[in-house]
Every structure is written in C-alpha cells, then in structure tokens.
Amino acid sequence: MSVHLRVVRKPRPPDGPAGAQITSPDSPDILRGLHARNPAAERRLLDTYAGLVERMLFRILGDVRSLEDLVQDVFARVFSRIDDVREPEALKPFITSVTVFVAREALRKRRRHRWLAFFASDELPEVAASADPEARQGVRAFYRALETLDADDRLAFTLRIVEGQELTEVAAACKVSLATVKRRIQRAELAFVERCKKDEVLSSWLAEGDRWT
C-alpha cells in the first residue's frame, strides 16, 4: 500500500454507505472498516493520527528531512498489521509502538552512517523554529547531545522528557517492562547531563534549570 500524506490535512467525507458509519477514530466501526481495508476508514485513521506520528518522529529524531518518508513507513506498517489489533482502544498504543519501532530503525541507521545533525532554521523542532538565534543554537546543541545516546535509551528519554508520556506509556510504546524503561531513562539522563556539562550552550542552560542540578 502506498500512503500519501501532507503535513496540513483537512478531513475528507467518507465514501459510500460503508464509510457513513465511521464517526470516531476509536469506535468499533472504524476498526471493522480497517480490517475490511475500507478506504474511508484508512483516511479517518490518517486524519486522526498522522499529526501524532509526525510530532513523535520529529521530537525523537530532531530532523524533518526524512519525516514524510518515515510517516508513510509507519502507516504502511500499521495498515499491513492492522489485523493484529482486536480492540478499538488498542489502536493508539499500537500506532505509537510502530512509530517508536520506525524511529529506532532510523536512529540505528543514522548511527551506522555516523550521521550528526546540524540543522538550518527551517529544520528545527517546532518549539524553536521561529525563536531567536540563541534558542535555535540551544536546540541544535540539544539534538547533538541526543546523538550521543544509545538508540533505545534515547527513545525512552525522548518519549518521557520531550514528549511528556507517562512511564507506563513509554514502556508500552517500547514494548519493554516498566523496570527496563526506568533504567533506560536513568541511564540516558546521566549520559545527557554529562554531555551538557561539556557543551558551552547546554551547560548554561543546565545551570539555569532545576531538573538536573
């Protein structure tokens, strides 16, 4: 299946009688439609969750250049494995876990190629894209620090600290135990703080905050 996405999406009306019953992204109707490969159900899922997937990938990777391809990869995998989802309330956690898996693959591929991100102003996460030069410099330094972390530790750290997910949500997304995700976050925090202390920009930012003092 080829999934075509745009960052700006407008809801589209469902097609035909089969789509008329699809009213909520977490209703039994949409899941039945997805299992039946109903185009209206698939569009509804994209309209509802593409923004979430984009944001998660953006915040984990800090890079927009391959974002559209990665989002398409996520939904291609979601649609190919949709029969694994048996309950409507499992849709969002399933999509989140697939997104994390795709992000992990991207991080490992990046590390194999020894890739280090240096971002232009239009490639920064949305929180600083229009901020002053000092803020943009801080975001660049932040993602350079993340590049030094192990891929699994970085995922857990980003989902918890940047995305603000609960520990149980992070564990479910990463498909590991709560104890494992806590260890990963703790390990990532220690490594991240040490990296911050060695960076001129991040060290001052670290001193101004109260989380890692």
Side-chain angles (χ1 to χ4, degrees), residues 131-171:
D132 57 49
E134 184 177 351
R136 292 198 298 271
Q137 185 182 26
V139 173
R140 293 188 189 101
F142 174 79
Y143 277 98
R144 286 199 298 269
L146 289 187
E147 285 295 322
T148 66
L149 302 180
D150 171 82
D152 287 332
D153 292 353
R154 174 174 174 168
L155 282 166
F157 177 84
T158 308
L159 291 174
R160 176 63 172 159
I161 304 302
V162 181
E163 189 68 12
Q165 291 190 5
E166 298 295 331
L167 287 170
T168 51
E169 293 177 305
V170 179

Side-chain angles (χ1 to χ4, degrees), residues 50-113:
L52 170 69
V53 171
E54 289 169 352
R55 188 187 72 235
M56 286 183 60
L57 290 171
F58 204 0
R59 291 180 172 176
I60 292 170
L61 301 172
D63 180 19
V64 299
R65 284 166 288 190
S66 58
L67 183 61
E68 184 175 352
D69 289 341
L70 291 173
V71 172
Q72 291 191 39
D73 189 12
V74 168
F75 282 101
R77 297 181 191 221
V78 166
F79 290 136
S80 70
R81 294 177 49 205
I82 197 64
D83 290 340
D84 294 343
V85 182
R86 307 313 304 172
E87 301 295 334
E89 58 270 20
L91 264 175
K92 184 177 179 180
F94 175 68
I95 293 169
T96 298
S97 67
V98 173
T99 304
V100 168
F101 183 83
V102 169
R104 181 187 292 116
E105 283 190 340
L107 286 171
R108 289 176 172 171
K109 180 179 179 180
R110 178 186 296 179
R111 177 155 294 190
R112 285 197 300 270
H113 293 169

Side-chain angles (χ1 to χ4, degrees), residues 36 116 151:
L116 183 62

